[in-house]
Amino acid sequence: MIKGAIFDVDGTLLDSMGMWRTFVSELIRKYGGNPEDGVDEKVRYYSLRQTATFLAENYIGCTPDEGEKICLSETMDFYANRAGLKPGAAEFLHTLGNAGVKMYIATATYRPLIQAALEREGVWNLFSGMITCSEAGAGKTKPDIFLKALEKLGTSVPETWVFEDAYHAVKTAKSIGFKVHCVYDETEADHASLLRQMSDIYSRDFTDARIENYL
């Protein structure tokens, strides 16, 4: 029976990945640079800290800490005021919470951005905590963030589900034994066939999510 759930946010709970699709190239232009071809794809799986460091070292001419502040400033308005949950997500989170399932956030995005969006959507208090890739010390190509979230939940791998949208994250979670519900996102359309094969559940959104599917 499901006792714990580890949720990615961007592309999984929040319909927010579209903003990130051109974020880096647009920010480079804003600061007077000329982005290399494919730069947004190059940093596609970077954490916000990694993205900030890349920009600082290659384009903006500042420290990584200053780059992180710039990224936060540029994105806060979107998360605080416009980023919305995917269909059925709020209802599903409340269902899990009412059933006593403990939930934790594991995200590559800066902590204040995620909190701002989920507070506005009224679901922030359903989670027992959050860990970012920067805090875990590695991106989701490595298992650290999932294992640290699991430790915080106090549940075991067999009774904990991971909810993700990205191929590299699903691959990592499956490699350490988690059951995975993958939610489709347009930015991962090129991996859709593989994700469907790898995941225990694969869906467009949370509209048809039922707790009995995870028992």
Side-chain angles (χ1 to χ4, degrees), residues 10 14 16-27 30-31 40 47-49 51-52 55 66-84 108-118 120:
D10 289 297
L14 284 180
S16 53
M17 288 303 294
M19 187 276 296
W20 289 105
R21 194 176 294 118
T22 59
F23 172 75
V24 170
S25 57
E26 290 178 1
L27 190 59
K30 180 174 181 177
Y31 280 82
D40 292 292
S47 68
L48 190 137
R49 177 67 181 189
T51 300
L55 288 168
E66 291 169 338
E68 195 164 357
K69 290 178 181 178
I70 290 170
C71 289
L72 175 60
S73 176
E74 293 289 333
T75 52
M76 180 54 85
D77 176 68
F78 173 76
Y79 278 86
N81 299 299
R82 289 176 283 147
T109 303
Y110 201 68
R111 176 180 287 269
L113 301 178
I114 297 301
Q115 183 170 347
L118 297 185
R120 176 173 47 78

Side-chain angles (χ1 to χ4, degrees), residues 84-128:
L85 291 172
K86 288 195 171 181
E91 294 83 356
F92 181 60
L93 291 173
H94 281 285
T95 296
L96 291 179
N98 289 337
V101 177
K102 294 187 287 186
M103 295 178 281
Y104 215 83
I105 295 167
T107 177
T109 303
Y110 201 68
R111 176 180 287 269
L113 301 178
I114 297 301
Q115 183 170 347
L118 297 185
E119 281 183 344
R120 176 173 47 78
E121 292 291 329
V123 296
W124 170 251
N125 63 348
L126 297 176
F127 296 93
S128 57

Side-chain angles (χ1 to χ4, degrees), residues 40-73:
D40 292 292
E41 182 64 24
K42 182 176 182 177
V43 303
R44 179 176 178 179
Y45 296 131
Y46 284 13
S47 68
L48 190 137
R49 177 67 181 189
Q50 290 172 316
T51 300
T53 300
F54 171 80
L55 288 168
E57 293 178 347
N58 295 281
Y59 288 101
I60 298 179
C62 63
T63 68
D65 285 344
E66 291 169 338
E68 195 164 357
K69 290 178 181 178
I70 290 170
C71 289
L72 175 60
S73 176

Side-chain angles (χ1 to χ4, degrees), residues 8 23 30 35 47 52 75 135 159 172 181 186-187 191:
D8 172 60
F23 172 75
K30 180 174 181 177
S47 68
T75 52
E135 293 163 356
E159 60 193 14
T172 301
H181 179 161
E186 186 179 351
T187 57
H191 293 132

